[in-house]
Amino acid sequence: MNKVLVLHGPNLNLLGTRQPEIYGHETLDDINNSLYEKAALNGWDIKALQSNHEGGLIDAIHAAREDGTAAIIINPAAYTHTSVAILDALNAFDGKVIEVHLSNVHKRESFRHHSYVSLRADGVIAGLGSQGYLAALDALIKSAAKA
């Protein structure tokens, strides 16, 4: 069974109530439940984790190196633009990495236009709302089927 780690960065636990005009009305549980359902239908296993702490995200990436995780879908949120440490952890992970953002970061403040994580990501999806997570999982499922 293919294993995917889904990482949600800081403040994403507030989805559905925090700036819904930018991030939508779905909650993090809604997003995770959609991912669990799609994964199960395709014989995949998902582990989802949200942390407001950079170290918690890094520890999860390190664990993924050892537990047979095939891919990581990551929305690093604000750490996208600041965390060399998350980039370094992802660089030590051998599987696929897809970076996801709910909003189109390129239509927002200029400081949001730079992503450290993109330097490692095999793909980047931005601006599709919660559908971006499902698109990332779909891409992983299709690429595994071709391998």
Side-chain angles (χ1 to χ4, degrees), residues 2-53:
N2 289 308
K3 291 173 63 172
V4 178
L5 174 63
V6 180
L7 293 176
H8 307 282
N11 300 310
L12 292 174
N13 56 306
L14 301 176
L15 285 177
T17 60
R18 175 182 169 242
Q19 296 177 282
E21 69 280 3
I22 295 174
Y23 301 110
H25 293 281
E26 288 182 283
T27 67
L28 193 59
D29 284 343
D30 294 334
I31 291 170
N32 287 338
N33 288 335
S34 293
L35 288 167
Y36 295 139
E37 185 178 312
K38 183 175 190 70
L41 288 172
N42 288 279
W44 284 52
D45 183 38
I46 293 255
K47 177 182 177 185
L49 170 79
Q50 187 277 328
S51 181
N52 292 317
H53 305 282

Side-chain angles (χ1 to χ4, degrees), residues 68-81:
T69 296
I72 295 174
I73 298 171
I74 183 169
N75 181 344
Y79 289 134
T80 302
H81 325 291

Side-chain angles (χ1 to χ4, degrees), residues 68-126:
T69 296
I72 295 174
I73 298 171
I74 183 169
N75 181 344
Y79 289 134
T80 302
H81 325 291
T82 63
S83 184
V84 174
I86 290 175
L87 170 62
D88 288 348
L90 289 170
N91 280 334
F93 176 74
D94 290 332
K96 296 246 185 207
V97 174
I98 299 182
E99 178 182 357
V100 173
H101 297 283
L102 296 164
S103 68
N104 181 350
V105 293
H106 302 288
K107 288 179 72 175
R108 298 186 62 197
E109 304 93 337
S110 62
F111 73 86
R112 296 186 193 276
H113 299 177
H114 179 268
S115 169
Y116 284 102
V117 172
S118 291
L119 296 171
R120 167 56 179 92
D122 297 294
V124 179
I125 300 169

Side-chain angles (χ1 to χ4, degrees), residues 49-65:
L49 170 79
Q50 187 277 328
S51 181
N52 292 317
H53 305 282
E54 185 177 36
L57 298 169
I58 292 167
D59 288 344
I61 296 165
H62 289 182
R65 295 180 67 221

